[in-house]
Amino acid sequence: QVQLVESGGGLVQAGGSLRLSCAASGRTFSSYAMGWFRQAPGKEREFVAQISRGGGSTYYADSVKGRSTISRDGAKNTVYLQMNSLRPEDTAVYYCAAGQSIATTTTWPYWGQGTQVTVSS
């Protein structure tokens, strides 16, 4: 079992930056790939970014590529999402997830409660 707690959301003007954090409980943090997803009002949850167990591989949705960076700190059991050049369309609830990858497929059994990001124009 992994418990995830997100923080760092808030209200920011377009063009601004935020860094989201996700603290994981337990001693098995390094066993999981970690990801960020988001869900805007009236829309389905969508993938934002993913980082491998060791941190050596990262993947991004086209919508955030070049503007966001995912990273992880094993000593702190924490994964981060640095978001720059924020746009109003980035407004959503952002969720952290812990998953396990087999080949090119990752399943996400563990989720946090979400943190709201609102970008004003």
Side-chain angles (χ1 to χ4, degrees):
Q1 286 281 352
V2 178
Q3 293 185 331
L4 305 171
V5 179
E6 301 98 332
S7 61
L11 174 64
V12 63
Q13 290 188 332
S17 298
L18 280 176
R19 188 176 80 157
L20 306 182
S21 300
C22 172
S25 66
R27 295 180 289 180
T28 58
F29 179 69
S30 62
S31 299
Y32 296 96
M34 300 298 295
W36 286 96
F37 294 75
R38 68 185 182 186
Q39 187 167 19
K43 296 187 176 180
E44 293 187 353
R45 189 174 299 187
E46 64 176 3
F47 169 80
V48 175
Q50 174 179 345
I51 188 167
S52 61
R53 292 185 302 168
S57 297
T58 56
Y59 308 92
Y60 297 92
D62 288 343
S63 57
V64 304
K65 195 175 296 182
R67 300 188 295 121
S68 297
T69 302
I70 187 170
S71 61
R72 63 191 297 162
D73 185 336
K76 296 182 178 180
N77 281 8
T78 300
V79 62
Y80 303 98
L81 183 67
Q82 176 69 44
M83 301 188 295
N84 302 321
S85 302
L86 283 162
R87 305 166 180 169
E89 53 265 38
D90 293 318
T91 295
V93 177
Y94 282 72
Y95 297 91
C96 172
Q100 294 180 318
S101 299
I102 299 176
T104 59
T105 301
T106 302
T107 57
W108 305 99
Y110 304 111
W111 294 83
Q113 83 289 348
T115 186
Q116 177 71 47
V117 171
T118 303
V119 184
S120 62
S121 57

